[in-house]
Amino acid sequence: MQVWGVAELFGHQDLASVAQLRNGLQFGKPRSFPSASSGSINQTQSKSRSNNLKSNQSQKPSMGSSITTPASSLSLGQKRKRDDETAATYQSKWPRSSDAARRQTDTASRATKNQANSEHTVEKAKSTSLMPSKDKETFDNRIFCCLVVSPPGRSIDQFKSIVEYLEACRDAIKGHWSLYQDAKILHRDVSKNNIIITDAKNNTDPRGMLIDLDLAKELDHGPSGARHRTGTMEFMAIEVLDGHTHTYRHDLESFFYVFLWIIIRHKPPRESLLREWYTGSYVTIANVKSGHMLKDRFRNILDEFPREFDVLKDLAEELRQTLFPLRDGTIFRGTYRDHNKLYTPMVNAFDKAIVKVKAETG
């Protein structure tokens, strides 16, 4: 089925092995690195101890100190041996309660030696809690895909006029609508990096397109492979941040955040409220966005609009009211069963704004 407003796949290649990844690439001479084996570490430690011994022997003794020579070392060793032999002769005279104490001392000594020997060992990697272990594998088997899409375009923040920006946003939403309604696919990663401005050749071509369906989900199939919240933090919908299942409504909310983000970041203020959209935990950011979407606090967001975008404040307020209507004194963030209740008013709001800007700019 034909989908409107989404980049067309022109070609692709799956890279499922290292050999495929290296194909056609040129590599220089391999570099050798120090081995991390226990033998090399022991050799390094032996050299270090040898250097320390030489350094100690070359230093002059201070008052009250003594120098250990091979001879004195030998005599001390002989003395320790005699002491051990003497202690052994009196072993039978020790009380039995001392046997338990000696065993505890020997156990503690062996534990200390084992700890010293294991100081340089490498701990085995553990699988993350978000990635349940399968057949005791540490990592998921992933395939790197190279995609070529058509047509090429500019990033959504590289617009040449306000009208071009509005048309690109509107058509990207219409493309999402077609993708959801006609192809039964939910994008789930609407962000400023996944919307492009296209150079339309005629009036029926889209001015803006969605790209990057890496996290998309086919609605007629089971759960996707994603095991975590999908999306880009600053553009995530409030309910997605709260851990709810991703719906079309959340993608439309992300479009709204992208719309605001591009405008404010065009000439960002020194201290922007948008910083709070990507700082902190999921719960913290969800609470911040919920507060910003209230009518009184949303004015603070609008105050960050650069002067040349004042003409879009009415559009921003209309989109906010569409996505976050008041119900029983609180903003509604749920998903309508009839998706047209959100798509239609959002597209119409952009159409009205385009007519308004064109009239004011001549």
Side-chain angles (χ1 to χ4, degrees), residues 276-293:
E276 301 177 29
W277 289 8
Y278 58 88
T279 304
S281 65
Y282 289 122
V283 174
T284 299
I285 298 174
N287 290 335
V288 167
K289 285 184 174 179
S290 294
H292 287 170
M293 292 305 110

Side-chain angles (χ1 to χ4, degrees), residues 137-150:
E137 292 181 357
T138 304
F139 302 102
D140 278 359
N141 183 22
R142 304 296 297 273
I143 297 177
F144 178 71
C145 299
C146 295
L147 304 178
V148 180
V149 297
S150 177

Side-chain angles (χ1 to χ4, degrees), residues 163 166 310-315 349-362:
V163 170
L166 294 177
D310 283 347
V311 68
L312 300 184
K313 287 184 177 181
D314 289 342
L315 170 61
F350 275 98
D351 282 334
K352 289 189 299 182
I354 292 170
V355 172
K356 178 181 178 181
V357 173
K358 286 182 177 180
E360 292 186 5
T361 58

Side-chain angles (χ1 to χ4, degrees), residues 325-331:
L326 279 179
R327 286 191 176 181
D328 299 327
T330 59
I331 60 174

Side-chain angles (χ1 to χ4, degrees), residues 100-118:
R102 288 198 305 276
R103 285 195 295 270
Q104 292 179 354
T105 302
D106 294 339
T107 301
S109 177
R110 286 194 297 270
T112 302
K113 291 180 181 179
N114 291 337
Q115 182 179 0
N117 292 335
S118 63

Side-chain angles (χ1 to χ4, degrees), residues 12-31:
H12 78 280
Q13 180 181 1
D14 292 341
L15 303 179
S17 67
V18 176
Q20 287 179 307
L21 183 63
R22 292 180 175 178
N23 186 30
L25 300 178
Q26 296 182 353
F27 297 89
K29 184 179 180 181
R31 297 180 60 183

Side-chain angles (χ1 to χ4, degrees), residues 277-347:
W277 289 8
Y278 58 88
T279 304
S281 65
Y282 289 122
V283 174
T284 299
I285 298 174
N287 290 335
V288 167
K289 285 184 174 179
S290 294
H292 287 170
M293 292 305 110
L294 294 172
K295 183 175 182 179
D296 291 341
R297 295 188 60 187
F298 188 67
R299 294 172 183 170
N300 298 327
I301 298 292
L302 297 180
D303 288 342
E304 295 190 8
F305 276 34
R307 182 173 299 177
E308 59 266 37
F309 291 94
D310 283 347
V311 68
L312 300 184
K313 287 184 177 181
D314 289 342
L315 170 61
E317 177 60 29
E318 185 173 354
L319 294 174
R320 186 198 68 81
Q321 292 179 14
T322 300
L323 289 166
F324 302 100
L326 279 179
R327 286 191 176 181
D328 299 327
T330 59
I331 60 174
F332 176 70
R333 302 174 300 182
T335 302
Y336 297 112
R337 292 185 181 274
D338 183 5
H339 56 267
N340 295 314
K341 286 187 177 182
L342 287 182
Y343 282 108
T344 300
M346 289 186 70
V347 171

